[in-house]
């Protein structure tokens, strides 16, 4: 009986460990998961290696990328600022940057710091669907919104001058015989708190200057083309570091983690 009880305890412990290993590892400072690639470590070297400008209809910058390497105001390390001169005045699409690699399903970790009140940028999944970065606004076009569609369930922003982290699992739209049969979906954690759980995304917002398919049928004409992770330049000093991405293959329409 004692041996049997011990075996049950071991099995219970194994089950607990298995469940624990499935818990999301999220928040500022998270190291890359196994199989992930670091796309931005805060250095100009990693920027130039892994990123290019997105040459959309409003593109007006010139290579090499003008996003400067700056000092991390928190720990004195390196960060990259979105304050590209071509994006001055909120001219989104003029100097946005996107990963050279393109993705369908993926897990991403993005750390950002807004230097001044009202700072504005954005993280675009597949260069289509924006997770907003905007100090001072928590509406459908505000901080952490899946823009124009889903409000965050709680306000987790750390504030100006502090690092924040988005942890995202994204599943691309699915097509059969060229027709859309499943819309894209995303789960998002903000500073370690789940704020969007497996949300369906209906379209691309912002028109042709916003990203891929923005000009197709008013943003509803989503195509099957993969896309990179894009960061938006809007003339504000928003700093980025510790961006890593892992390619996934999500067979079922569920992004929760």
């Amino acid at each position: 009986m004692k041996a049997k009880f011990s075996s049950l305890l071991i099995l219970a412990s194994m089950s607990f460990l298995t469940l624990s290993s499935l818990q999301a590892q999220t928040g500022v400072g998270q190291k890359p998961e196994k199989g992930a690639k670091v796309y931005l470590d805060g250095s100009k070297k990693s920027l130039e290696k892994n990123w290019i400008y997105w040459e959309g209809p409003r593109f007006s910058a010139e290579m090499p990328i003008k996003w400067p390497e700056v000092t991390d105001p928190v720990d004195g390390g390196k960060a990259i600022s979105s304050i590209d001169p071509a994006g001055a005045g909120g001219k989104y699409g003029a100097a946005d940057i996107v990963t050279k690699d393109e993705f369908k399903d993926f897990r991403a970790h993005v750390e950002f710091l807004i230097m001044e009140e009202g700072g504005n940028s954005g993280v675009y999944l597949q260069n289509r669907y924006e997770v907003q970065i905007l100090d001072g606004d928590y509406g459908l076009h505000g901080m952490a919104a899946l823009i124009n569609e889903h409000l965050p369930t709680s306000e987790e922003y750390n504030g100006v001058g502090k690092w924040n982290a988005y942890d995202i699992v994204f599943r691309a739209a699915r097509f059969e015989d060229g027709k859309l049969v499943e819309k894209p979906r995303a789960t998002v954690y903000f500073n370690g708190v789940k704020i969007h759980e497996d949300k369906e995304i209906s379209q691309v917002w912002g028109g042709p200057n916003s990203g891929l398919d923005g000009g197709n049928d008013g943003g509803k004409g989503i195509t099957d083309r993969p896309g990179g992770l894009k960061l938006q330049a809007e003339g504000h000093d928003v700093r980025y570091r510790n961006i890593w991405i892992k390619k996934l293959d999500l067979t079922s329409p569920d992004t929760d983690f």
Side-chain angles (χ1 to χ4, degrees), residues 128-238:
R128 287 183 174 92
Y129 317 105
E130 183 180 6
V131 185
Q132 176 69 291
I133 293 175
L134 178 57
D135 175 73
D137 186 343
Y138 258 99
L140 276 174
H141 202 270
M143 179 65 78
L146 283 170
I147 203 160
N148 294 333
E149 297 199 29
H150 301 290
L151 288 169
T153 54
S154 59
E155 299 182 8
E156 304 300 334
Y157 175 44
N158 286 331
V160 169
K162 298 179 180 179
W163 284 104
N164 299 270
Y166 285 148
D167 285 280
I168 303 162
V169 166
F170 173 81
R171 185 176 188 268
R174 294 312 201 247
F175 294 78
E176 291 181 5
D177 299 323
K179 294 183 178 181
L180 178 67
V181 293
E182 292 178 15
K183 291 183 178 179
R185 315 182 71 86
T187 293
V188 182
Y189 286 74
F190 192 13
N191 293 327
V193 178
K194 189 186 296 183
I195 58 165
H196 298 292
E197 183 175 328
D198 194 35
K199 295 296 186 181
E200 184 179 88
I201 304 171
S202 65
Q203 67 170 85
V204 181
W205 296 91
N209 297 317
S210 67
L212 300 179
D213 299 333
N216 293 346
D217 189 22
K220 294 181 175 63
I222 301 169
T223 61
D224 200 15
R225 174 185 170 183
L229 187 83
K230 188 176 74 177
L231 306 177
Q232 193 176 53
E234 289 216 50
H236 297 263
D237 188 359
V238 178

Side-chain angles (χ1 to χ4, degrees), residues 26-45:
T26 62
V28 175
Q30 285 299 324
K31 295 180 180 179
E33 292 183 355
K34 184 178 180 180
K37 174 181 174 179
V38 175
Y39 283 84
L40 191 67
D41 61 10
S43 70
K44 192 76 171 181
K45 182 178 179 181

Side-chain angles (χ1 to χ4, degrees), residues 11-152:
L11 286 171
S13 298
M14 289 175 64
S15 297
F16 177 76
L17 290 170
T18 301
L19 289 171
S20 297
S21 68
L22 293 174
Q23 297 301 308
Q25 298 298 305
T26 62
V28 175
Q30 285 299 324
K31 295 180 180 179
E33 292 183 355
K34 184 178 180 180
K37 174 181 174 179
V38 175
Y39 283 84
L40 191 67
D41 61 10
S43 70
K44 192 76 171 181
K45 182 178 179 181
S46 66
L47 177 72
E48 293 175 345
K49 178 181 178 181
N50 298 307
W51 302 76
I52 54 173
Y53 280 122
W54 176 57
E55 298 188 21
R58 194 187 273 179
F59 177 63
S60 60
E62 292 182 1
M63 289 290 287
I65 296 173
K66 303 301 188 296
W67 291 37
E69 180 184 299
V70 294
T71 300
D72 177 345
V74 175
D75 63 18
K78 297 177 180 179
I80 294 294
S81 171
S82 64
I83 194 162
D84 190 299
K91 194 178 178 184
Y92 68 89
D96 299 346
I97 62 171
V98 64
T99 56
K100 294 177 182 178
D101 291 338
E102 296 184 325
F103 309 94
K104 288 199 170 183
D105 306 341
F106 62 86
R107 157 86 159 96
H109 177 87
V110 179
E111 296 189 14
F112 67 91
L113 181 150
I114 299 175
M115 288 295 291
E116 299 174 347
E117 290 185 3
N120 193 351
S121 183
V123 178
Y124 284 72
L125 315 178
Q126 272 201 330
N127 192 5
R128 287 183 174 92
Y129 317 105
E130 183 180 6
V131 185
Q132 176 69 291
I133 293 175
L134 178 57
D135 175 73
D137 186 343
Y138 258 99
L140 276 174
H141 202 270
M143 179 65 78
L146 283 170
I147 203 160
N148 294 333
E149 297 199 29
H150 301 290
L151 288 169

